[in-house]
Amino acid sequence: MKTKILLPILALILLSLSAKSQGVSASFIIPKNGYFSAPVSPLSVRGLGLSFGLLGVETGASLYNMPGLPMNGLPFEANKPLTGPHWSILVPLQLSLTLDSDAMSVKILGGGFAMGHIAPQINYGNMDRAIREYEGWDVANADLDVENKIGFGWMAGVELAFHVSDKFSITTEVQYLKGDSGAAITGEYSGGTIGGPIETRMVDYPDAVTALEGVEISLGVKMNR
């Protein structure tokens, strides 16, 4: 728990510090069992922090328009996203190892991230379908509330920077990430089989989480100092 509290605090501290280089990029996420993040992603800022020769520590922030993400911790499984669309904010905190040359640099990254989902919504089409399969019903209709919480996870990857000049580089970055955020669900759903009675079930899934696992791809520019 202390680690989860310290991660966003350290990231905020690093956001106020100068970095050897700072970059702005368009970032995309391809989530497992989710929908590809919006083709035109909001810009993200990365590379803020400190460097100590080859080693460094850095953070940043990315805002995503997330069409849909899966959920875990439910009494049933679904092979389609159960939340979305919604906005998601991701703040990484990573250690870096940079191998530099005149033409390009290779940076190896690894660490954790905090994430928050803004006003997440249940995807009732996929949720009702999952409930029908779980109950063996022909029809189902859910009315649910989600208690959204800040989430955490880990991420690691590599960044390639192609130096156009002493002050300007073109970058491409690929990282794998995995984490989740609490999303306790309460409410009810009703349904049944054709010709049979309508039944209502109360819902209380305190262990439900919104899962984020997949590949993040970033393309951007970096201003070298």
Side-chain angles (χ1 to χ4, degrees), residues 9 14 16 53 55 67 78 109 112 131 146 169 177 198 212 215 221:
I9 293 176
L14 287 173
S16 66
L55 300 178
L109 298 157
I131 291 172
V146 179
S169 299
L177 48 83
I198 298 298
L212 177 58
V215 176
V221 297

Side-chain angles (χ1 to χ4, degrees), residues 7 23 91 96-97 105 110 123-124 129-130 146 154 168 185 189 212:
L7 191 150
V91 179
S96 65
L97 173 63
S105 64
N123 184 320
Y124 280 107
R129 185 179 298 108
V146 179
W154 62 266
F168 174 75
I185 295 178
Y189 60 81
L212 177 58

Side-chain angles (χ1 to χ4, degrees), residues 24-217:
V24 179
S25 64
S27 298
F28 309 85
I29 289 183
I30 306 173
K32 180 180 179 181
N33 294 329
Y35 296 140
F36 182 70
S37 67
V40 182
S41 175
L43 295 181
S44 64
V45 179
R46 296 290 176 88
L48 302 177
L50 296 173
S51 60
F52 310 94
L54 297 179
L55 300 178
V57 57
E58 59 184 63
T59 184
S62 298
L63 176 64
Y64 290 100
N65 184 354
M66 199 68 68
L69 289 175
M71 299 190 75
N72 296 327
L74 305 175
F76 51 84
E77 295 183 357
N79 57 8
K80 293 186 177 182
L82 297 181
T83 67
H86 54 73
W87 295 96
S88 298
I89 299 174
L90 188 146
V91 179
L93 180 61
Q94 297 179 284
L95 296 176
S96 65
L97 173 63
T98 303
L99 305 176
D100 207 354
S101 69
D102 292 337
M104 65 175 293
S105 64
V106 179
K107 181 185 293 184
I108 300 172
L109 298 157
F113 67 88
M115 64 178 175
H117 306 302
I118 302 174
Q121 302 293 319
I122 294 292
N123 184 320
Y124 280 107
N126 291 341
M127 179 65 78
D128 290 347
R129 185 179 298 108
I131 291 172
R132 290 200 304 268
E133 294 178 358
Y134 171 63
E135 294 283 0
W137 290 346
D138 296 315
V139 295
N141 182 55
D143 183 11
L144 307 173
D145 294 314
V146 179
E147 182 183 353
N148 185 47
K149 296 182 179 180
I150 298 295
F152 301 89
W154 62 266
M155 61 191 303
V158 62
E159 176 195 271
L160 301 179
F162 303 93
H163 306 319
V164 178
S165 68
D166 292 340
K167 296 184 178 181
F168 174 75
S169 299
I170 297 175
T171 65
T172 179
E173 180 180 308
V174 178
Q175 297 206 60
Y176 190 84
L177 48 83
K178 183 177 182 179
D180 58 51
S181 56
I185 295 178
T186 56
E188 64 180 27
Y189 60 81
S190 301
T193 57
I194 296 176
I198 298 298
E199 303 179 54
T200 298
R201 303 270 196 270
M202 300 305 297
V203 171
D204 185 12
Y205 304 149
D207 298 325
V209 297
T210 299
L212 177 58
E213 179 180 0
V215 176
E216 180 190 54
I217 301 173

